[in-house]
Amino acid sequence: MDNSTASLYFNLTMFRTLDTYKYPVFVFFLLLYVFITFANLILITVISQEKSLHEPMYIFIACLSFNALYGSAGFFPRFLMDLLSDTHLISRPACFTQIYVIYSYASFELTLLGIMAYDRYVAVCHPLHYHRKMQLKIVIVLALFAWLCPPCLIIPVIYLATTLPLCGNKLHKVYCANWNIVKLSCISTAKNNISGMFVTIATVFCPLFFVLFTYFRIIIICWKKSSEFKGKVLQKCLPHIISFATYSITAFCDITLSRYNPDEISPYLVIFLSLEFVVIPPILNPLVYGLKLPEIRRHVVRMLSKQTSHDY
């Protein structure tokens, strides 16, 4: 590959590991993408159409599903195309666009899960003031904050990466990642490291500590309450706890993986760990919220039953 081509494209090298199994892997991930799209669209449709679900918690769940569609659209089409391709080159603009979509998806997910923790905290710890503190306009402001805040943090970090002179074009990933590009730099990356650390703290650790704080307060409130009260709180909070724990673990795996030399780890493990946070949460969220919350489950079953009866 000549220098001009290397400067215009990145080479996603981990696809070579999947060449032997690319067709079954393609079918598997295509089915996953169809399921993610279908399941999250059903959740969004049910919540938007049923007036009884026009409450803060369900609105935030719909936002999670919308974000799952957004993040999946930024990953799956390109991933599926690369699986069947003989070359795994991606242009610089397409690579940085993918970085923005995946990173903004990740940041929005964590910020929104933090806001949902606040919603649960108010519902449990301040039930008499819930409707005043979680009015529709406040919910909209919180959702907009979760959506608009990540770009303000991510765009500067990506811009810094675009200005780096690079001494190679090989990314040991199946999708573009900012840190993998920064490691190719021919010059010092101190500014990139500092800005990346700041964004990680703001978008990962701040929501994490906030959620832990809110659930610590919820546990204190529940400690002296009846078993019936604890059961109701657990029913309302469990889907959120599962979603947050799953996403935190998958994001932590990806962050940790980026700091290791991929040559020292099994390539299959590298691919699995790097795919977790862009695949598992979009699959798990509609299952957790659609099956665990009876209000949503009832309306989903009714809608699917009507659709089935119309087909026949």
Side-chain angles (χ1 to χ4, degrees), residues 12-234:
L12 300 172
T13 62
M14 296 306 294
F15 278 103
R16 290 178 301 183
T17 306
L18 299 174
D19 277 346
T20 307
Y21 314 100
K22 64 181 180 180
Y23 293 112
V25 171
F26 174 85
V27 173
F28 176 73
F29 278 95
L30 178 61
L31 292 175
L32 279 184
Y33 186 37
V34 171
F35 174 79
I36 288 170
T37 303
F38 179 71
N40 284 285
L41 280 176
I42 285 180
L43 212 56
I44 293 171
T45 302
V46 167
I47 292 173
S48 62
Q49 289 183 351
E50 296 296 333
K51 292 185 178 179
S52 61
L53 299 180
H54 293 177
E55 297 181 10
M57 179 174 67
Y58 303 115
I59 293 173
F60 292 138
I61 292 172
C63 289
L64 275 182
S65 290
F66 178 80
N67 189 49
L69 295 176
Y70 166 71
S72 298
F75 166 73
F76 277 98
R78 178 76 205 194
F79 176 73
L80 292 171
M81 183 179 71
D82 281 331
L83 277 173
L84 298 182
S85 177
D86 293 328
T87 61
H88 308 111
L89 300 179
I90 181 171
S91 67
R92 286 175 65 95
C95 188
F96 285 112
T97 300
Q98 187 181 59
I99 290 173
Y100 172 77
V101 172
I102 291 178
Y103 281 34
S104 58
Y105 148 77
S107 300
F108 179 71
E109 187 90 359
L110 283 171
T111 307
L112 190 59
L113 287 170
I115 291 172
M116 292 175 73
Y118 172 74
D119 173 71
R120 296 298 81 205
Y121 163 74
V122 175
V124 174
C125 300
H126 304 282
L128 298 179
H129 303 285
Y130 179 77
H131 292 290
R132 177 177 62 82
K133 291 187 175 185
M134 297 302 294
Q135 299 176 36
L136 180 59
K137 61 181 181 181
I138 296 177
V139 171
I140 293 173
V141 169
L142 290 174
L144 287 175
F145 169 79
W147 185 252
L148 297 177
C149 184
C152 298
L153 297 170
I154 293 168
I155 290 176
V157 173
I158 296 177
Y159 172 75
L160 285 175
T162 63
T163 62
L164 291 172
L166 305 180
C167 291
N169 75 330
K170 293 183 178 180
L171 302 180
H172 300 294
K173 280 272 200 178
V174 290
Y175 59 87
C176 291
N178 193 71
W179 179 245
N180 293 75
I181 293 176
V182 171
K183 288 193 291 186
L184 297 175
S185 174
C186 303
I187 62 174
S188 172
T189 59
K191 289 190 298 184
N192 302 77
N193 296 338
I194 294 172
S195 60
M197 187 177 299
F198 172 77
V199 171
T200 301
I201 292 172
T203 60
V204 177
F205 292 105
C206 286
L208 172 64
F209 288 126
F210 180 74
V211 171
L212 293 176
F213 170 76
T214 56
Y215 275 106
F216 176 73
R217 295 294 302 273
I218 289 173
I219 290 171
I220 291 176
I221 293 294
C222 292
W223 191 262
K224 298 180 180 179
K225 298 291 184 178
S226 65
S227 299
E228 183 181 359
F229 180 85
K230 293 175 183 176
K232 290 180 179 179
V233 171
L234 182 62

